[in-house]
Amino acid sequence: MSSSGSGPYLVDRRDDGYGDVLPLQAGQRYTLGRANTNRIVLKDELSSRDHAEVYFAESGWHLRDLKSLNGTRLNGELVAGEIELATGSEIQIGKTRYLFVNSIDELPRVPLADLRDTMTIRKRLSSSRFLTPNPEEPTDEEARISLAGRSIGRDLMQLYRLGLAMGSATTYHELADIVLDGLLGAVKAEVGAVLTLKEGHETEITSVRPDGLLKRTYSPVSEFVTNEVKRGREAILAEDVARSRYLSNRDSLKDLGATSLICAPVIHQDRVTALIHLYCTDPHKSLSNDDLEFTIAVARHFALVMGQMQRQESLSAENRSLREQLQVESELVGDSEAIRTVHEQIGRVAPTNATVLIRGESGAGKELVARAIHFNSLRREGPFICLNCAAITETLLESELFGHERGAFTGATDKKIGKFESANRGTIFLDEIGEMAFGTQAKLLRVLEGHPFERVGGSMPVRVEVRVVAATNQPLEQIIREGKFRRDLFYRLQVVEIKVPTLRDRRTDVPILAEHFLRRFARETSRKIRGFTPAAMAQMTAYDWPGNVRELKNVVERAVALARGSQLDVGDILLTSLEIPGDESKASGEHFDPITLEEMEKRHILRTLEHTHWNKSQAAGILKIERSTLDRKIKAFDLKKEE
């Protein structure tokens, strides 16, 4: 300890004596804090960036707290405003302490017994040869010691095995136990502990070895050693532990018979998050530099695994949150008797593995029912995969369902995983199943019966465990009679059947659904719309909604986007002139004509195309079908534009 110039001084007070001596000069302000702009920079995480200042005013030196987070103490009392310093005053900022004296001679003497009784720190290290890509060749002396004791090859093997064990840990406590077991099996220590640094920089005992040493009787190293490791971010090897007064419970350590210790930091994201303590209790042995380097390597791997574990937990939490949000969006809205019946059916079938066939008109909410089945089942943590069978051409449907190998057909430049493989241990939703090609139906049936399948162009069998939920808006019985759908596949799909009611069959749900969609779209667009006028709500309730819930959703979304007032009125509700599907007599104004559904569909598509002047994209939008589906129906019905 040395100084230059005349007093007064600020002297760094440490547990084992004194540190730096800082002379003070009148006319200068000495700010203290973590920021590098301070005159006195504190490497103390408990201090604020600009914590306090010491300055000369009138006839004396004063201390002022700069509105710090944790406060400044003078002789143990919190400083409010400014206070004058007297010789011998102790300033405390976080864990940092300074004595104010006018002369070095005024410093309190450290008892000689205390100086003789300090802990002997043999070595400090922040790195290890096990973490160096190309370690230097050992000296002759190091080689002799290695041959006499432990070898690098054996240490690397132990590190490898311990790394594999650490990677298999599923919880932080399990990881800490694995670390201690591995260390105690590799170094000369008999007692070990992992201490986790909590908020407020308190330590919590996470794991202690051996198991017989209860956590309440375990005595960690002193705050002095902990602070040294945290401050320097270096592992410490110390000897003569039993003689040190810097242990939190001297008698307990004497009972352990500890002769040396290692304290190593676990640093994650540039912060010391945990400490590893190791004690040697054999009087004929002591912890060595090799033990210190091995512990540093383990601590580094500990930090990496802990970081991956935290990242995985964060991703899992985010995944759960997204699933919960998706589940909320997928809930069926309504309070009618018809929708309550659907809820009851979902509640009964969801916990089972039964295949479900959902029937209902387009836009009625069949996919919402499928999602509700999945998210209320035991597979809720698994994937939910959707596939619209009508939106994909026959030649590509099999590839989408079962995948293909590279080179299986023109354009197959890479191997592709199909929807069934993607949905393994989850649920696959096959919408518009009635549009599936007849040849693909046979392969789907085999999968439903538990048989493996091969990717297109492949020969390796692929087995998956998937629940199938299918949906259709077509009369499958008639399609079966026409030879377009397999009867055995129909029976396999119709294990449980749920019929989704049309919106006109549950008109009491129209106001509930309309308000639901209004809140959703107003929130998304930040529009301040209070609700519907009574006339607008009456108009929507009386409407037949041929497009069902999907049409209602689109009408409300359009109204929110274009509305000018604070309420949605009749003028904002734009309804289509199309009539209910199947009500051909009302649509044409003619008498009832007993024709097949196929003929009715053909006429309706033709009239829609004529209405749009054969604008296929517009016609597909009105019909609520994909453009590719419309092209296929035009070809099947041999529809042609009149010249």
Side-chain angles (χ1 to χ4, degrees):
M1 178 179 68
S2 64
S3 65
S4 62
S6 58
Y9 305 95
L10 285 180
V11 183
D12 185 15
R13 180 70 171 97
R14 298 180 179 176
D15 289 341
D16 55 350
Y18 301 110
D20 295 334
V21 177
L22 308 173
L24 305 178
Q25 295 181 8
Q28 300 286 337
R29 286 182 177 268
Y30 296 85
T31 56
L32 301 90
R34 286 189 295 108
N36 293 329
T37 54
N38 290 286
R39 293 287 296 274
I40 303 174
V41 179
L42 305 178
K43 294 182 179 179
D44 189 330
E45 63 271 18
L46 293 181
S47 68
S48 299
R49 291 183 57 81
D50 300 299
H51 198 107
E53 64 176 350
V54 175
Y55 59 94
F56 187 83
E58 297 179 354
S59 59
W61 286 87
H62 295 74
L63 171 68
R64 175 188 294 143
D65 181 78
L66 299 178
K67 297 181 180 179
S68 63
L69 179 63
N70 295 315
T72 304
R73 295 181 180 272
L74 182 66
N75 299 325
E77 299 293 332
L78 280 173
V79 174
E82 62 180 46
I83 189 169
E84 187 171 356
L85 295 171
T87 186
S89 298
E90 182 178 277
I91 302 170
Q92 183 175 355
I93 297 175
K95 298 189 291 293
T96 305
R97 294 176 294 163
Y98 285 103
L99 284 179
F100 174 82
V101 293
N102 288 298
S103 170
I104 295 299
D105 295 335
E106 295 175 345
L107 286 173
R109 298 294 181 183
V110 178
L112 292 178
D114 289 347
L115 292 175
R116 287 194 304 267
D117 203 28
T118 56
M119 179 183 299
T120 303
I121 297 179
R122 263 186 57 183
K123 193 165 187 177
R124 300 172 186 259
L125 274 181
S126 60
S127 186
S128 166
R129 67 177 183 273
F130 298 110
L131 304 174
T132 305
N134 297 303
E136 297 179 358
E137 290 295 327
T139 64
D140 292 341
E141 178 65 15
E142 290 173 335
R144 183 186 64 80
I145 294 173
S146 179
L147 288 172
R150 56 199 298 166
S151 67
I152 294 179
R154 190 195 70 179
D155 286 341
L156 289 174
M157 181 61 70
Q158 289 176 317
L159 276 175
Y160 173 73
R161 290 174 178 170
L162 181 54
L164 291 178
M166 292 166 67
S168 66
T170 56
T171 66
Y172 176 65
H173 283 79
E174 182 184 353
L175 175 62
D177 290 342
I178 290 172
V179 166
L180 285 184
D181 290 337
L183 281 171
L184 294 181
V187 303
K188 301 182 184 71
E190 292 82 26
V191 178
V194 171
L195 276 65
T196 303
L197 273 62
K198 311 299 287 186
E199 295 296 331
H201 305 279
E202 297 179 354
T203 57
E204 176 183 273
I205 301 172
T206 303
S207 179
V208 174
R209 287 293 187 269
D211 291 329
L213 186 65
L214 298 178
K215 291 182 181 180
R216 59 184 176 83
T217 63
Y218 170 73
S219 298
V221 293
S222 70
E223 184 179 352
F224 165 67
V225 173
T226 299
N227 290 340
E228 285 292 303
V229 173
K230 288 166 55 181
R231 185 184 297 113
R233 296 169 177 260
E234 294 179 317
I236 286 178
L237 169 62
E239 291 184 338
D240 300 327
V241 176
R243 296 192 294 108
S244 174
R245 70 185 183 93
Y246 295 111
L247 297 171
S248 58
N249 190 325
R250 182 176 173 185
D251 294 336
S252 295
L253 281 175
K254 281 185 176 180
D255 293 339
L256 290 176
T259 59
S260 59
L261 73 85
I262 286 175
C263 181
V266 179
I267 302 174
H268 176 57
Q269 294 183 343
D270 201 34
R271 186 173 67 89
V272 178
T273 57
L275 297 171
I276 297 175
H277 291 171
L278 299 173
Y279 298 93
C280 178
T281 60
D282 190 335
H284 303 292
K285 296 188 299 185
S286 63
L287 293 166
S288 64
N289 294 341
D290 287 341
D291 295 326
L292 182 63
E293 292 198 45
F294 187 87
T295 304
I296 291 172
V298 173
R300 184 73 58 85
H301 198 96
F302 187 1
L304 292 174
V305 177
M306 182 172 61
Q308 292 295 328
M309 193 172 287
Q310 290 177 355
R311 182 173 180 272
Q312 183 64 38
E313 289 176 357
S314 175
L315 290 175
S316 298
E318 182 180 0
N319 190 29
R320 286 193 296 272
S321 176
L322 291 173
R323 286 179 180 276
E324 289 171 0
Q325 294 177 28
L326 183 60
Q327 184 174 359
V328 170
E329 292 295 330
S330 298
E331 286 181 348
L332 293 167
V333 177
D335 193 35
S336 63
E337 181 63 31
I339 205 67
R340 284 201 298 268
T341 300
V342 173
H343 277 293
E344 183 182 350
Q345 290 175 313
I346 293 172
R348 288 200 304 265
V349 74
T352 71
N353 286 320
T355 305
V356 181
L357 178 63
I358 305 172
R359 293 198 180 197
E361 290 185 4
S362 179
K366 296 187 292 297
E367 183 176 340
L368 300 186
V369 173
R371 288 185 181 275
I373 291 172
H374 172 74
F375 286 111
N376 288 279
S377 71
L378 300 177
R379 301 169 179 266
R380 65 177 67 91
E381 297 298 326
F384 178 78
I385 304 296
C386 298
L387 179 66
N388 189 327
C389 299
I392 304 171
T393 62
E394 178 180 348
T395 54
L396 293 179
L397 181 58
E398 186 174 348
S399 171
E400 285 292 323
L401 282 171
F402 308 112
H404 63 252
E405 298 291 346
R406 180 179 180 181
F409 50 84
T410 303
T413 57
D414 294 294
K415 182 175 76 172
K416 178 181 179 180
I417 300 299
K419 300 296 185 183
F420 264 94
E421 282 186 81
S422 300
N424 191 33
R425 300 188 182 280
T427 303
I428 186 170
F429 174 57
L430 302 177
D431 198 8
E432 297 193 48
I433 190 71
E435 300 284 349
M436 179 175 287
F438 196 83
T440 309
Q441 294 175 25
K443 196 166 184 178
L444 173 61
L445 179 61
R446 284 187 56 80
V447 176
L448 290 177
E449 291 175 344
H451 297 286
F453 60 87
E454 294 86 32
R455 301 188 190 99
V456 177
S459 58
M460 294 295 294
V462 179
R463 189 180 296 275
V464 294
E465 201 275 300
V466 176
R467 180 182 194 171
V468 175
V469 177
T472 183
N473 60 0
Q474 297 189 26
L476 292 182
E477 293 83 355
Q478 180 175 335
I479 300 177
I480 291 172
R481 287 194 293 270
E482 295 172 358
K484 297 179 181 179
F485 200 84
R486 294 180 63 102
R487 186 181 301 272
D488 47 3
L489 177 59
F490 171 74
Y491 292 140
R492 189 65 185 82
L493 291 172
Q494 200 188 27
V495 176
V496 176
E497 182 176 292
I498 297 178
K499 293 183 179 179
V500 183
T502 62
L503 191 53
R504 60 185 173 274
D505 291 332
R506 52 182 185 115
R507 293 179 187 272
T508 56
D509 288 336
V510 171
I512 301 174
L513 283 162
E515 292 288 350
H516 170 77
F517 290 130
L518 173 61
R519 289 192 299 270
R520 173 179 169 183
F521 294 124
R523 182 176 65 250
E524 291 178 359
T525 58
S526 300
R527 299 291 304 275
K528 295 182 179 179
I529 300 177
R530 295 197 305 268
F532 298 88
T533 63
M537 187 61 75
Q539 181 190 29
M540 290 191 297
T541 305
Y543 182 59
D544 282 332
W545 299 107
N548 291 293
V549 179
R550 183 186 292 124
E551 183 184 4
L552 173 59
K553 174 186 173 183
N554 295 338
V555 166
V556 175
E557 183 177 12
R558 180 172 57 239
V560 171
L562 302 178
R564 297 181 178 179
S566 59
Q567 277 189 307
L568 298 182
D569 205 351
V570 172
D572 300 313
I573 309 300
L574 303 179
L575 302 176
T576 181
S577 59
L578 291 177
E579 301 296 337
I580 300 171
D583 196 351
E584 183 72 13
S585 61
K586 186 182 290 187
S588 62
E590 302 172 355
H591 67 281
F592 173 71
D593 188 5
I595 58 176
T596 64
L597 286 172
E598 183 177 6
E599 180 64 24
M600 184 181 296
E601 183 182 18
K602 175 181 176 181
R603 293 182 185 180
H604 184 63
I605 291 176
L606 180 59
R607 288 182 178 179
T608 304
L609 288 167
E610 292 172 348
H611 173 75
T612 61
H613 304 289
W614 278 77
N615 185 323
K616 295 181 181 180
S617 297
Q618 186 178 353
I622 294 174
L623 294 169
K624 303 297 182 185
I625 60 176
E626 298 290 335
R627 168 68 182 269
S628 59
T629 304
L630 177 59
D631 287 332
R632 189 166 61 253
K633 289 182 180 294
I634 291 174
K635 182 178 180 181
F637 292 139
D638 194 24
L639 301 179
K640 295 180 180 173
K641 183 178 180 181
E642 293 184 3
E643 300 297 335

